[in-house]
Amino acid sequence: RDKWNYNAASFNEAPSEEQLEFQFVDANVLENHTSPPRSVKMLTRDFIEDSLYNPNYGYFPKQATIFNAQKSMINFTALRDSAEFQEEVGKKYAAYGADRHDGPGRQLWHTPTELFKPWYGRAVAQCLVAEYLLKYFPYEDFIIYEIGAGNGTLAMDILDYLRDEHPDVYDRTRYNIIEISGSLVKLQKQRLYKSHPCVKVVHKSIFHWKTREPAPCFFVAMEVIDNFAHDVVRYDLRTLESYQGVVTIDAQGDFDTIYTPITDPLISDYLDLRRRLNHPLPVANLLQRSDIARKCYVSLPFAPNLSAEEYIPTRLLSLLRTLRNHFPRHRLLLSDFSSLPDTIPGVNSPVVQTRFRNITVPCTKLLVRQGYFDIFFPTNFERLRDMYEYLISQPPGTPTQDTSLPMRSTPLMMNSTSLSIGADFFSSQQPTNRRNPLDGVFSASGLPVGERKSNVFTHTEFMETYAELNQTRLRNGENPMLDFYKNVKFLF
């Protein structure tokens, strides 16, 4: 039966009949709503997506403002130390003016792209262009896809760098932005189209993407997956059966969460993938191994009947499938938070916060008024890498590969299996840092070549490799582009 944890809500294990009768909706259905819905229920990820992205009352379309210091970029080399650097950032925040007194305050937040412009974008550009020059130039165009491009600053800094430092590469560059926000689409077109005609902005959610890109390309996702919606899963401590979280909203607008047996295909697929990768459950090992231990534990007075909430990145799984199906020759560059302070209770739980009178206010629960609060998650990059490599490396014909569209033909169009039979003829061992070649996917020379497997880097490691650190070094030798964002990692 549908259930909840009685320690958190009620001594009655079953939800009310009213909750069971609520209409089941999802974020796509709610896109046409002009106000938050009532007398409905939905999966947790749909509640998060509706709260963040609903075009009529969502947090990002209606509340959020991305910090932009375009008119006066920070002169790092003129600053004394990190304290003076933070004072400079505070001044630029203050330039946005005081908060209004009704409703939530100005939802102003910054990214390293904006804070360290143009040097952060130039570091990303150097990473991408080095890989392009090594593998594809001059046989293939330099194709870049970016999601969550914000103000367009990263795209501008990358393209300015290519135009100034690699004009021959710039002439072959095609920069595509996939943007869900209509207001940001207008801003990106206004900023980028005149300066860089190679830019194309597509107003679409990446989760609705249907076009296949057969050519080699680079897929960039910087500071975006933290706002990808998660689902909530809990485990029955008597049987270890998993339950999916369903958010209910009654006629008065009050929230609750009930738990039902897993019926959602995406949640089921994620849990199956985790089992395949041997990623552990968020339940104590003793309880997992012993039926007797579980029976004794749940018989204790006031013992919970369900495990703690676990937030699972189901929308991130959707992104990885999209990359596998529609960008078969991509190289992924992704960066985001690997850990966060002030998270709500739970496993892999998010930060839920808003700004009020210029003060950031963190919350202790997920179920808050839609559109007024930012909801963002940390990412376990080591597990993300495992998921990504597993999905990308699946053999042809698996469900993760969309075979409805033909691959591009080449003069040597043949089965990669036949070519790989003698691939190790001149080698005593197979390389372990390469994916298996995909049938029908060829390099510029016409040979099927496995891509190098991705690696996880700390923010400092990435910047020490690609950034022009002398440009962001302060007078006392400190370097905020290395010293800040210690809780950020890269996958490349």
Side-chain angles (χ1 to χ4, degrees), residues 129-382:
V129 76
E131 188 80 0
Y132 170 72
L133 290 173
L134 178 66
K135 295 176 62 176
Y136 301 118
F137 182 81
Y139 303 104
E140 306 275 6
D141 287 342
F142 190 21
I143 304 174
I144 302 173
Y145 285 84
E146 183 186 359
I147 59 171
N151 293 330
T153 300
L154 181 66
M156 180 70 77
D157 293 341
I158 289 174
L159 292 169
D160 286 349
Y161 172 83
L162 294 176
R163 180 193 59 203
D164 299 339
E165 305 295 336
H166 297 277
D168 49 348
V169 173
Y170 180 77
D171 290 341
R172 303 203 60 173
T173 298
R174 288 188 275 150
Y175 202 106
N176 305 277
I177 293 175
I178 304 171
E179 178 58 59
I180 191 174
S181 168
S183 59
L184 288 179
V185 165
K186 294 178 182 178
L187 177 60
Q188 292 159 7
K189 290 181 177 180
Q190 180 182 354
R191 289 193 62 191
L192 294 168
Y193 274 15
K194 184 176 181 180
S195 301
H196 299 288
C198 61
V199 173
K200 179 182 179 182
V201 180
V202 180
H203 185 195
K204 185 184 288 283
S205 167
I206 185 60
F207 303 121
H208 298 159
W209 191 260
K210 299 299 181 184
T211 304
R212 176 174 291 228
E213 174 56 79
C217 62
F218 295 86
F219 197 93
V220 179
M222 310 297 286
E223 304 98 39
V224 63
I225 66 168
D226 60 317
N227 287 120
F228 276 12
H230 287 48
D231 275 291
V232 171
V233 171
R234 301 178 77 173
Y235 301 89
D236 190 322
L237 294 178
R238 291 163 291 196
T239 64
L240 294 185
E241 180 184 1
S242 52
Y243 285 78
Q244 63 190 20
V246 176
V247 176
T248 66
I249 309 175
D250 66 17
Q252 289 73 43
D254 292 331
F255 302 110
D256 204 349
T257 303
I258 61 176
Y259 294 90
T260 70
I262 303 295
T263 57
D264 178 68
L266 189 57
I267 296 177
S268 179
D269 289 348
Y270 176 86
L271 297 179
D272 180 64
L273 176 59
R274 182 168 67 182
R275 284 190 290 268
R276 291 172 181 267
L277 297 174
N278 294 318
H279 291 166
L281 292 177
V283 177
N285 289 332
L286 177 61
L287 296 180
Q288 292 187 51
R289 294 194 303 263
S290 172
D291 293 340
I292 297 176
R294 291 198 301 273
K295 184 176 180 180
C296 293
Y297 180 74
V298 299
S299 65
L300 294 174
F302 303 106
N305 60 340
L306 296 178
S307 66
E309 297 93 337
E310 181 193 15
Y311 293 84
I312 59 173
T314 40
R315 275 305 182 202
L316 183 56
L317 175 58
S318 296
L319 173 67
L320 301 185
R321 285 177 162 178
T322 297
L323 295 177
R324 177 69 174 90
N325 295 339
H326 301 297
F327 303 87
R329 301 180 66 187
H330 77 278
R331 185 73 191 276
L332 176 63
L333 176 59
L334 182 151
S335 177
D336 227 304
F337 296 112
S338 58
S339 63
L340 289 169
D342 299 322
T343 58
I344 66 176
V347 178
N348 193 41
S349 55
V351 174
V352 182
Q353 68 181 30
T354 190
R355 283 176 62 86
F356 181 70
R357 297 186 181 179
N358 298 319
I359 298 175
T360 299
V361 182
C363 301
T364 58
K365 60 182 181 179
L366 175 69
L367 303 183
V368 291
R369 177 166 173 171
Q370 301 94 313
Y372 277 46
F373 297 81
D374 192 6
I375 303 171
F376 56 105
F377 293 82
T379 296
N380 185 318
F381 271 74
E382 288 68 30

Side-chain angles (χ1 to χ4, degrees), residues 377-395:
F377 293 82
T379 296
N380 185 318
F381 271 74
E382 288 68 30
R383 293 192 181 185
L384 167 60
R385 177 190 57 202
D386 293 346
M387 290 171 51
Y388 174 66
E389 289 299 332
Y390 180 87
L391 290 173
I392 296 300
S393 300
Q394 288 298 292

